[in-house]
Amino acid sequence: MPTAREALLDAALRALADRPWRTVRMVDVAALAGVSRQTLYNEFGTKDGLATALLRQAADGYLTGVDRALTAPAPEHSAAVAVWTVRAAREDPLVKGLLTGLWEEGLPRPGHDVPGPARLLGLAQDRMAAASLPVAEPDSTTEPGSAEAAGRAAERCELVLRLALSCVVVPCRNRPCPAHHAAATTGEQGLTSSPVEPLGSGAQMPTHGRGTTMRTLVLGRTPARVTAVLATLRADGFDAQGVSTDEEALTLLRTGEFGVLIIGGGVGPASRSAIRAFAAEHRVRRVIDGALREPFDTYVRNEFEPLIREAAAQG
């Protein structure tokens, strides 16, 4: 049975899935968790304290994933961490903000008690370097465990993390993502047995245009809801990406790589009309107007996925 603190953090995430953080009320979080407001205030003190706890939980979850990735055989550490970093940042907007400093609209902002990008990446890099130290480099006379080996390991780890984050900040045009090959870039071998599955490893949608993969773009004003849609689509083998702002959507649509566009119910009429027109000029086969209803996964499978398959078949 979860503790009161765990129940409150889960309730806060559910509240954030429904509306921007600035409109989330402490009384609503307490009600969702089934506890009194006094219990909530006893645990976190203020709404800012609750936000800090949410962000620290996201940071801890990311680092736990790094530790899990490092259970791969030694030569595959870098690849596993790179894949995990890209996946975590794409699927959790809080992790993306913590790693990049790019915060989507509607999310809580970190205070001084939350690690910034440099600190969080430094913690991940330290874990990677420690796991890599005993490994001798191919064709190298450097003694494993020496100061020189430690320096080279740190450089490799930093490079891998930077490559992974580049795939988060600037979405990859190729599949698989170049981050999957980060370990090979830094001189390590064997990427196929990582304990973290490669992103986009599900069934591929049919292709259209110049050999690009049929992809789905999800635009919604509430990042947590966008994440919920993406989780279901990706679990069912669809290649999907999500954004929360018109600017991000236009940037991605401009590539001409998206065959389907889902526009969430929170997008206003003016933005919706402009984006639909822009999508039509950039090879989008189908625009779906959606307003999520719970349970989200059932709604996505019943309302969105048949239309995506139809567009793919026509493309």
Side-chain angles (χ1 to χ4, degrees):
M1 182 175 180
T3 65
R5 185 179 184 86
E6 292 169 340
L8 285 164
L9 288 172
D10 179 69
L13 287 175
R14 282 186 283 149
L16 182 59
D18 288 333
R19 51 194 177 276
W21 181 251
R22 65 179 179 276
T23 66
V24 172
R25 301 186 305 166
M26 296 288 271
V27 63
D28 297 329
V29 174
L32 282 172
V35 302
S36 67
R37 280 186 294 174
Q38 189 59 51
T39 299
L40 173 57
Y41 283 107
N42 287 344
E43 285 288 345
F44 303 105
T46 64
K47 186 178 177 181
D48 286 343
L50 176 58
T52 294
L54 278 178
L55 294 169
R56 290 184 68 87
Q57 177 179 259
D60 290 343
Y62 167 70
L63 292 174
T64 297
V66 170
D67 291 335
R68 184 169 58 249
L70 291 173
T71 62
E76 302 173 13
H77 286 159
S78 294
V81 173
V83 172
W84 164 247
T85 297
V86 175
R87 166 173 286 177
R90 284 183 176 174
E91 295 184 353
D92 188 339
L94 296 181
V95 173
K96 177 182 177 181
L98 289 167
L99 288 173
T100 66
L102 303 175
W103 293 94
E104 298 177 9
E105 183 180 355
L107 295 179
R109 296 296 191 269
H112 296 299
D113 295 332
V114 176
R119 174 60 177 159
L120 187 56
L121 289 171
L123 292 171
Q125 181 179 329
D126 290 345
R127 284 165 161 77
M128 293 174 66
S132 301
L133 282 180
V135 181
E137 298 180 22
D139 303 321
S140 173
T141 58
T142 302
E143 182 180 351
S146 67
E148 183 179 357
R152 291 187 179 183
E155 290 175 358
R156 288 198 305 270
C157 296
E158 181 178 2
L159 176 58
V160 167
L161 288 170
R162 288 183 180 277
L163 286 171
L165 286 183
S166 73
C167 295
V168 173
V169 176
V170 181
C172 306
R173 300 188 64 178
N174 301 314
R175 289 293 183 268
C177 175
H180 297 172
H181 302 289
T185 304
T186 58
E188 298 189 33
Q189 306 296 322
L191 308 183
T192 58
S193 59
S194 164
V196 183
E197 294 180 3
L199 291 168
S201 59
Q204 295 295 311
M205 295 293 288
T207 60
H208 75 289
R210 297 184 178 180
T212 58
T213 303
M214 172 72 81
R215 304 176 66 193
T216 297
L217 178 63
V218 180
L219 169 62
R221 294 296 188 239
T222 306
R225 288 198 173 197
V226 173
T227 299
V229 173
L230 294 179
T232 300
L233 290 176
R234 290 171 178 168
D236 293 346
F238 293 92
D239 187 354
Q241 188 165 341
V243 295
S244 296
T245 68
D246 295 354
E247 291 75 14
E248 291 175 306
L250 295 175
T251 297
L252 292 176
L253 290 172
R254 193 173 287 113
T255 67
E257 295 180 359
F258 291 88
V260 177
L261 170 64
I262 298 175
I263 304 178
V267 178
S271 291
R272 185 180 300 270
S273 177
I275 291 172
R276 287 181 71 98
F278 190 85
E281 297 173 356
H282 290 81
R283 301 165 60 192
V284 172
R285 298 289 191 268
R286 174 69 65 87
V287 178
I288 303 172
D289 292 307
L292 277 183
R293 299 185 184 90
E294 293 186 354
F296 294 158
D297 56 345
T298 300
Y299 186 86
V300 169
R301 291 186 172 113
N302 291 342
E303 302 297 330
F304 293 165
E305 292 187 1
L307 297 178
I308 297 173
R309 292 191 184 96
E310 181 180 319
Q314 294 173 351

